[in-house]
Amino acid sequence: MGTCTLIQAALPRILNDVPEEFFDKTKKHLEETSSVMFERLSAIPCLKPIKPVGAMYMLVGIDMEKLEGMKDDHDFTRQLMAEESVFLLPASVFLYPNFFRVVLLAPVELMVEATERISVFCQRHMRKESS
C-alpha cells in the first residue's frame, strides 16, 4: 500500500510537461461521470451513493435489509459480478462495511450500462416487502 517509486520519479515530469488541457479534460470527465452515476444510483431503492468531491471513485451504501440472499458488501459485489458482470470493490476492505466503491474513469456510456445492470440485479434481489 506504499507509494510507487516509479510514479514518484515520474511525477515532476508529469506535472510540468503534461498540457493543462489534459487535466481539464480529465476533471470534466470525472465531474460528468460522478453526476451521472450519482443520479442513476440514487434511483435504486437499496443504494445510497455519496457524491464525490475531487475523487475518481464513488462510495455507495447498500441497505442490506432490503435485499435477500446476501449478508454484506462482499456477498453483494460477488453476486453482482457473477450475475451481471459488473465488478465493484467491497468497501469493507477500507473499513466501510456495506458500501461498495466504483471507479469513475470509464466512458459515460459504460457507466450507464453498469448502472442498468446494477438496477436489474437489485430489483431481482429486493425483498418483497421492500419493493
Side-chain angles (χ1 to χ4, degrees), residues 28-41:
K28 183 178 178 194
H29 175 74
L30 289 171
E31 288 173 15
E32 182 181 5
T33 55
S34 69
S35 292
V36 166
M37 292 298 286
F38 182 80
E39 180 181 320
R40 295 179 67 86
L41 292 172

Side-chain angles (χ1 to χ4, degrees), residues 29 42 45 49-50 55 61 68-70 72 75-76 88 97 112 129:
H29 175 74
S42 293
I50 300 170
E68 288 183 335
M70 55 196 92
D72 58 20
D75 283 345
F76 181 92
L88 302 170
V112 167
E129 62 273 7

Side-chain angles (χ1 to χ4, degrees), residues 8-103:
Q8 285 179 318
L11 271 177
R13 186 148 183 224
I14 291 169
L15 294 174
N16 292 325
D17 297 347
V18 173
E20 194 63 34
E21 300 82 46
F22 171 81
F23 297 110
D24 293 340
K25 183 179 174 184
T26 301
K27 288 187 283 186
K28 183 178 178 194
H29 175 74
L30 289 171
E31 288 173 15
E32 182 181 5
T33 55
S34 69
S35 292
V36 166
M37 292 298 286
F38 182 80
E39 180 181 320
R40 295 179 67 86
L41 292 172
S42 293
I44 301 171
C46 61
L47 301 181
K48 295 187 177 23
I50 300 170
K51 190 153 188 185
V53 179
M56 59 185 197
Y57 59 85
M58 176 183 290
L59 286 173
V60 181
I62 311 163
D63 187 346
M64 301 307 298
E65 303 272 322
K66 293 184 177 181
L67 299 170
E68 288 183 335
M70 55 196 92
K71 66 180 185 337
D72 58 20
D73 56 323
H74 285 272
D75 283 345
F76 181 92
T77 56
R78 189 177 309 113
Q79 288 185 42
L80 178 65
M81 179 64 185
E83 295 177 27
E84 295 294 333
S85 299
V86 175
F87 177 76
L88 302 170
L89 186 65
S92 59
V93 300
F94 302 108
L95 302 179
Y96 284 95
N98 296 329
F99 279 76
F100 62 80
R101 188 175 92 161
V102 58
V103 178

Side-chain angles (χ1 to χ4, degrees), residues 103-114:
V103 178
L104 302 169
L105 297 173
V108 173
E109 302 79 32
L110 291 178
M111 302 301 275
V112 167
E113 181 180 343

